Amino acid sequence: MVDAQPPAPAPADSLVDDPTDTRLDDYRELTDVALRTRYEPPHGLFIAEGELVLRRALRAGYRPRSFLVDAKRYGQVADLAAGAGAPVYAAGQDVLEAVTGFHVHRGVLASFHRRPLPAAEQVLAEARRVLILEDVNNHTNVGAVFRGAAGLGFDAVLLSPSCADPLYRRSVRVSMGEVFAIPYARLTPWPAGLAVVRSAGFTVLALTPAAGAIRLQDLTEAQRRRPALLFGAEGPGLSGAALSASDVRVRIPMRGGVDSLNVAASAAVACWELSRTD
């Protein structure tokens, strides 16, 4: 029986023991949403957390700026470091926590370059079924919607201008990296931009708990053919303007006095219903 090889130690020139080292600036205060929102998009970067998510970002063609790892886990990314052309910084948990603001229990982070977003028209031209989000500013919900879209047969996501950033660390983590697999674009102006969706041949289906909406399972074959499912934020739901700009108002039948589901759960139910006959 051959003994397992110990993990490769971090090279001395990769080790960082000073939390104020400017090489780690991409990773500062990762739990401060307001700070990161001001910092990441203007600097053209996003942060990915965990080995699985990092590898999915690389497979999707995102270019790394750097890696930051627990020194004990350097071996997990040694192969990535060899071909990525980006520096790897290794540190102890005390330094990682001082820099990021939390205990990095996954032990692996990376900073990636963003890519320019495609136009909505380009995304629609390559899709058969899409999701549209209005004012969904919770990063966890955005990530969960992308994961559901990827797993349930939807090809793209369109976002109103005020939606949360799909490449924010929490969104990326919750999506398990599926934000890299699903094309997305910002839809402007809002909600007038929904006309672009309609002109591309989609039927805009606005999800609402309103009693006058038709049941999801009662959509006609024509309405199901190229669906664009439109969802609003938790609490307020879709705006009146977005509802007016849609083609059909649709509801998920509820029981037990519950009026609606979380937006990510609603999106999953609707995606499954419209893709179940594939």
Side-chain angles (χ1 to χ4, degrees), residues 131-163:
L131 288 171
I132 308 173
L133 303 182
E134 180 189 41
D135 297 344
V136 178
N137 51 28
N138 179 289
H139 293 98
T140 298
N141 283 336
V142 169
V145 166
F146 271 81
R147 188 174 182 182
L152 295 168
F154 273 62
D155 309 306
V157 177
L158 299 177
L159 307 166
S160 75
S162 59
C163 277

Side-chain angles (χ1 to χ4, degrees), residues 97-119:
E97 188 165 349
V99 172
T100 64
F102 69 100
H103 179 72
V104 186
H105 65 278
R106 288 180 175 83
V108 182
L109 297 164
S111 174
F112 284 89
H113 292 278
R114 288 177 181 252
R115 298 194 296 228
L117 284 183

